Amino acid sequence: ATHADLKGLAILVTAGPTVEDIDPVRFVSNGSTGKMGYAIAAAAVLRGAEVTLVSGPTHLTAPSGVKLVSVRSTEQMQDAVLSALPHVDVVIGAAAPVDFRPAERFDRKWKKSDGLPHVQWVQTPDILAAVRSRKQAQQTVVGFAAETNDVVENARRKVVQKDLDFVVANQIGEEGAGFGTDTNHVVFVHRDKTQPLPMMSKSAVADSILDHVKSIHRSKRQI
Ligand code: C5P
């Protein structure tokens, strides 16, 4: 990573979980801490990129120099991403958006004495799928995949379905990889090739992702 080697590049990073409210005190979410996305945002800023960080609720402090857009639900995250999309060169979807939400949210707290709530679930939007249909050819889009099995095969399906430049895939359940850890063990999965990386700190993974993005973005601009 050379100093300021990403100057002139505008990068949008999504990070953290989303939260879907059931009532004023209860919600559905997941164990994403945002560490990977924040590490990418921090590394990109250090390397001179212009960074927008669209983040669900986390305990992390946004790296200085990033433009932080804080959101809660998957729909809010999608709105923030789509409104920034025309102004960026690269989208890196490191967030773990919740894929379903209650069809309606109770206005008051559901009491235990009310019995069990009947919650109907509806699907939330797939943000990278929405990006797919709106992006320009020269924009680079990177996804993440957390898989417990058939990591490469499942990641490749995501590359194709969401028309991504590549997916950063990691095996969850492996010690030192995935949610909440400071290290990560990933493989870059393209349509027709894979590149395994050794176990590294999340900040080293972030720099590797940015190196990869930089070379893909350069080759697109030469066409
Ligand atoms: O389809 P799946 O959730 O396994 O794919 C993971 C990738 O898709 C991640 O990059 C994640 O940020 C993105 N994603 C999304 N919107 C969703 C769910 C996942 O953009 N609703």
Side-chain angles (χ1 to χ4, degrees), residues 117-162:
H118 291 281
V119 177
Q120 196 155 17
W121 299 98
V122 295
Q123 228 168 4
T124 55
D126 187 312
I127 298 166
L128 291 185
V131 165
R132 171 194 177 139
S133 57
R134 289 166 177 82
K135 69 179 177 183
Q136 310 283 313
Q138 77 284 3
Q139 287 178 309
T140 298
V141 184
V142 181
F144 275 70
E147 303 289 346
T148 53
N149 55 284
D150 303 322
V151 177
V152 169
E153 197 184 309
N154 285 319
R156 189 169 285 133
R157 190 171 316 127
K158 260 160 234 186
V159 170
V160 173
Q161 281 172 354
K162 304 189 191 199

Side-chain angles (χ1 to χ4, degrees), residues 15-83:
T18 59
V19 175
E20 302 296 341
D21 292 308
I22 296 171
D23 73 10
V25 298
R26 302 187 183 87
F27 55 81
V28 178
S29 188
N30 60 57
S32 170
T33 58
K35 277 182 184 170
M36 192 64 243
Y38 278 61
I40 294 167
V45 153
L46 275 179
R47 291 168 64 169
E50 187 189 303
V51 180
T52 304
L53 177 61
V54 177
S55 178
T58 72
H59 295 289
L60 302 173
T61 305
S64 69
V66 313
K67 183 184 170 208
L68 176 69
V69 183
S70 295
V71 299
R72 183 167 175 86
S73 68
T74 299
E75 261 164 65
Q76 289 169 357
M77 184 173 276
Q78 171 168 274
D79 288 348
V81 167
L82 294 183
S83 74

Side-chain angles (χ1 to χ4, degrees), residues 1 13 37 102 112 114 123 131 152 159 163 183 191 223:
V13 183
K112 223 201 284 196
D114 294 334
Q123 228 168 4
V131 165
V152 169
V159 170
D163 190 23
T183 52
R191 245 165 220 272
I223 295 167

